[in-house]
Amino acid sequence: MNNTSKSIGNQLLRKITLCLLFVLLTASLAHAKRVALVMGNDNYISVSKLQKAGNDADAMARELKAAGFVVQLQKNLNFRTMVRTIDSFTNSINSGDEVVVFFAGHGVQIKSGNYILPTDIDAESESEVEKMAYGLNELSEKLSDAKASFSLVMIDACRDNPMKAKGRSIGATRGLSPVEPAKGQMVIFSASKGQQALDRLNERDTNPNGIFTREFISRMRKPGVKIEEMVREVQDAVESLAKTVRHEQRPALYNEARGNFYFYGPTIVQAAPKPYAVPVISDEQKEKEFWDDTKSAGNKEAFEAYLESYPTGRYASLAKANISRLSPVPASPTKPTVALPTNPETLQLYKLANEQNDANAQVRLGVMYANGTGGLVNDDAEAVRLYKLAAEKNYSMGQFYLALMYEHGRGGLPKDDTEAVRLLKLAVAQNDALAQSALGFMMMNARGGLARNVVEAVRLFNLSASQGSERGLSNLGGAYLAGIGGLARNEVEAVRLFKLAAAMGDALAQRNLGLMYENGIGGLAKDDYEAVRLYKLASVQNNHQAQYNLALMHEHGRGGLVKDDYEAVRLYKLAAAQNNPLAQNSLIRMEAAKRGGL
């Protein structure tokens, strides 16, 4: 063979080789997938039960599904089921897959390493823990053997050691020990060594998720953020939030992964819909979402708005029943019979409140009745009765919540700002943070017989915020944003305060922070995606301003939302039912143009 023939042969061989490599690479990518195992254990048998691990698992599974993962969700796993579940999951992983494993529950650190605890753990020694719990080292080895391209392991299990009361103390008091992940793996613990991970900030923190999980899932949908950058944000947010209640918690990150991992890549391409196109989701699903928001609002106006849109809908009879229940009725001379709770935790609270006449239990149970949570049906009259019992004992939280009922005229009480102010003053005298913020608001607006005094109102907001009250932080942020009460206008400080309050679940702060992201105020870059996320959080708490802002985003197709007049109209109606004038005007405008089904 001459040199020319050799050269042609070599070129042909290189082309064939490149083609084969391309085919093999394409085949590998075609089989690569995103898979996740999510576990949450609440119902422990022999150690302390948890309340939010199952919620955390549900929330994480939901967000991972939205990010394109095939998710296996398992809750309340005993040891045998945990072993089988992890074995089955790791055996299903193919080379090149992206993998996430999330566990919420109890964990313990002993000499041989870190272990996540199944619900049937009943160990009396460290050697028994090794046999009855699942080691993170073993999990890491199985993920390595599966040769995933990227593995993320998240462990929200650094609460107080549940084994410390089992005979002699087993393992470290709290926290998990540092780890050295295998190549291609990233491990995140919800707290650093020796720290306790908080489920909630205080007894008034009603967020369904623990501190770590709520901060993590709130950032997952933002496109173009690398996992390392996102974790740093979560670390800072959790640390700042914990400090508001004088607690030390900073999530720990151990990383041996290479390359870039995103939950959502830097670019999201969406086909532009035709103007006023029929929504992508079905009418049935739209009605279901409308009803879910109506139930979340829980007031008469929201149920009436649902009936206006769906007079013969699937939930019409339930809406009518709730309207009837929420309509004023003549006061009964005798206390109505209250159904006994079936939820075990609520039942225990019920017994404390009624049998032991415990003021704290009375208030907590009253809040459950007022919000229809804890397995209870909404009953404002019962909430008022319980608040009164606590207030009569000069319990500040009872005085505060009873003041709210007078302010809004709920539970058979007349709207009475004067009585609300009287009760708030009693609670403020006991340094109650929520009452301080509420009284400051009344003073700011000259209600309940108070003279308008902005300086004193801001002083009360400051006192409330210094105690870590979300509403105090939110109101103080509003004062800085407006530059009132002796404060110089400071948008950056307003953003800082709104962020703290929003992370604690304050709807007003979430809406205000969303507005600042939308407009690029306070040193924030304009970010419609983050604005939409915050508006959604506030909207489900029935904040009419956020519902209006979110409706605008749907109407104009901003923040990653598809243009959707039907969804915009639904949200405008919810806000308008609360007398939001901007939403009412928008409905008139949409009706005139015959948009969104009007």
Side-chain angles (χ1 to χ4, degrees):
M1 183 182 292
N2 59 35
N3 290 336
T4 302
S5 299
K6 286 182 179 179
S7 175
I8 293 173
N10 289 335
Q11 290 177 25
L12 182 59
L13 181 60
R14 280 197 297 271
K15 286 182 179 180
I16 292 171
T17 304
L18 287 172
C19 286
L20 285 171
L21 285 173
F22 177 77
V23 169
L24 290 171
L25 178 60
T26 304
S28 175
L29 291 174
H31 285 92
K33 58 186 183 297
R34 305 185 110 189
V35 292
L37 173 61
V38 177
M39 299 173 283
N41 282 356
D42 277 324
N43 295 329
Y44 286 89
I45 299 169
S46 299
V47 298
S48 58
K49 294 181 184 295
L50 297 172
Q51 295 182 347
K52 295 189 176 183
N55 292 343
D56 291 344
D58 288 335
M60 187 62 69
R62 181 181 65 246
E63 293 302 323
L64 288 169
K65 285 178 182 176
F69 282 81
V70 177
V71 178
Q72 183 179 351
L73 173 62
Q74 296 285 346
K75 293 196 287 187
N76 296 317
L77 296 161
N78 60 29
F79 179 65
R80 175 173 291 185
T81 308
M82 181 178 283
V83 170
R84 289 177 176 176
T85 297
I86 294 175
D87 283 351
S88 173
F89 174 75
T90 53
N91 288 336
S92 72
I93 299 171
N94 294 320
S95 177
D97 286 352
E98 291 182 332
V99 178
V100 172
V101 177
F102 175 84
F103 174 82
H106 277 310
V108 66
Q109 168 198 342
I110 59 177
K111 289 178 183 178
S112 58
N114 299 313
Y115 290 80
I116 55 177
L117 304 188
T119 56
D120 57 351
I121 185 73
D122 189 19
E124 298 288 346
S125 66
E126 292 194 359
S127 61
E128 287 187 354
V129 170
E130 293 174 353
K131 297 180 180 70
M132 301 173 68
Y134 203 97
L136 293 186
N137 287 337
E138 183 178 354
L139 174 61
S140 177
E141 290 173 3
K142 287 183 177 296
L143 292 173
S144 292
D145 292 343
K147 294 182 171 51
S149 64
F150 173 82
S151 295
L152 171 62
V153 179
M154 292 183 282
I155 307 296
D156 191 358
C158 306
R159 300 162 177 85
D160 277 337
N161 179 4
M163 309 297 292
K164 62 185 178 183
K166 302 288 290 180
R168 63 186 179 86
S169 182
I170 301 173
T173 303
R174 60 173 58 156
L176 300 177
S177 59
V179 296
E180 295 183 7
K183 183 179 178 182
Q185 294 181 18
M186 177 183 292
V187 177
I188 304 170
F189 292 158
S190 57
S192 296
K193 181 181 179 181
Q195 293 181 345
Q196 176 194 12
L198 296 175
D199 269 344
R200 60 178 181 170
L201 294 169
N202 49 47
E203 62 185 10
R204 297 187 293 271
D205 182 358
T206 58
N207 193 298
N209 298 118
I211 307 302
F212 168 76
T213 299
R214 75 176 69 166
E215 290 301 321
F216 197 95
I217 62 174
S218 72
R219 290 164 173 78
M220 287 175 66
R221 293 202 181 193
K222 192 172 181 180
V225 180
K226 296 178 184 177
I227 183 64
E228 294 89 348
E229 297 171 8
M230 179 184 158
V231 172
R232 282 194 291 272
E233 287 185 18
V234 172
Q235 288 176 314
D236 292 343
V238 170
E239 187 172 36
S240 296
L241 200 54
K243 284 181 178 178
T244 65
V245 290
R246 296 178 177 83
H247 182 80
E248 292 296 327
Q249 179 183 348
R250 183 174 178 83
L253 169 65
Y254 309 99
N255 186 18
E256 285 298 327
R258 298 293 181 267
N260 296 325
F261 172 80
Y262 304 86
F263 284 109
Y264 291 85
T267 304
I268 294 180
V269 179
Q270 291 181 328
K274 296 179 180 179
Y276 320 130
V278 176
V280 175
I281 63 175
S282 68
D283 291 341
E284 182 178 326
Q285 179 62 20
K286 226 172 233 308
E287 182 187 359
K288 174 66 167 57
E289 291 180 1
F290 197 148
W291 177 247
D292 287 343
D293 283 349
T294 299
K295 288 192 299 180
S296 296
N299 55 45
K300 181 181 176 183
E301 292 78 12
F303 289 113
E304 288 174 341
Y306 168 81
L307 275 180
E308 182 182 344
S309 296
Y310 298 97
T312 59
R314 288 184 296 162
Y315 311 101
S317 59
L318 288 173
K320 290 173 184 176
N322 278 283
I323 290 170
S324 176
R325 175 177 57 80
L326 294 169
S327 298
V329 294
S332 172
T334 59
K335 178 187 171 298
T337 301
V338 178
L340 202 64
T342 56
N343 180 292
E345 289 78 11
T346 308
L347 181 59
Q348 179 61 26
L349 203 60
Y350 184 90
K351 290 178 178 178
L352 282 171
N354 291 285
E355 296 175 10
Q356 299 184 29
N357 201 25
D358 181 87
N360 179 268
Q362 287 165 343
V363 170
R364 291 173 61 192
L365 191 62
V367 171
M368 288 182 178
Y369 274 113
N371 296 325
T373 56
L376 298 175
V377 176
N378 170 259
D379 189 338
D380 284 353
E382 179 63 6
V384 165
R385 185 187 75 84
L386 290 161
Y387 295 155
K388 282 183 174 179
L389 289 173
E392 288 167 1
K393 300 181 185 70
N394 200 32
Y395 188 59
S396 64
M397 286 182 64
Q399 294 161 343
F400 166 74
Y401 282 110
L402 185 58
L404 289 188
M405 302 302 262
Y406 271 110
E407 182 187 354
H408 299 288
R410 290 177 58 182
L413 298 176
K415 281 191 176 184
D416 189 340
D417 282 354
T418 302
E419 180 62 11
V421 165
R422 184 188 73 81
L423 290 161
L424 290 174
K425 284 181 175 179
L426 291 174
V428 166
Q430 300 180 65
N431 201 33
D432 186 275
L434 289 174
Q436 288 165 341
S437 183
L439 186 61
F441 178 80
M442 293 292 225
M443 194 170 290
M444 181 82 74
N445 294 279
R447 290 173 55 183
L450 296 173
R452 179 176 167 82
N453 188 335
V454 178
V455 173
E456 177 61 13
V458 170
R459 187 187 74 84
L460 288 166
F461 294 156
N462 211 343
L463 286 173
S464 178
S466 68
Q467 296 191 66
S469 161
E470 61 271 30
R471 184 44 57 93
L473 290 163
S474 180
N475 285 340
L476 187 60
Y480 271 108
L481 186 60
I484 58 175
L487 299 177
R489 179 177 170 85
N490 189 334
E491 293 176 349
V492 174
E493 179 63 7
V495 165
R496 186 185 74 84
L497 292 165
F498 286 150
K499 281 185 174 181
L500 290 173
M504 297 166 71
D506 186 84
L508 182 61
Q510 290 165 344
R511 182 264 179 180
N512 287 341
L513 187 59
L515 205 60
M516 297 181 85
Y517 270 109
E518 184 180 350
N519 294 283
I521 299 173
L524 298 174
K526 284 189 176 184
D527 189 339
D528 283 352
Y529 287 91
E530 183 65 6
V532 164
R533 184 186 73 83
L534 290 160
Y535 291 154
K536 284 182 176 180
L537 290 173
S539 291
V540 297
Q541 297 187 65
N542 208 30
N543 181 281
H544 63 88
Q545 296 165 311
Q547 288 166 343
Y548 169 75
N549 292 128
L550 186 58
L552 283 176
M553 296 299 231
H554 275 288
E555 185 180 350
H556 299 290
R558 293 172 55 191
L561 300 175
V562 176
K563 281 187 178 182
D564 189 341
D565 285 351
Y566 289 82
E567 182 64 8
V569 164
R570 184 183 74 82
L571 289 161
Y572 284 141
K573 283 184 175 181
L574 288 175
Q578 298 181 69
N579 297 317
N580 184 300
L582 296 174
Q584 291 167 341
N585 290 336
S586 293
L587 282 176
I588 294 171
R589 171 174 54 80
M590 298 287 273
E591 186 173 15
K594 300 187 183 306
R595 293 170 58 184
L598 295 175

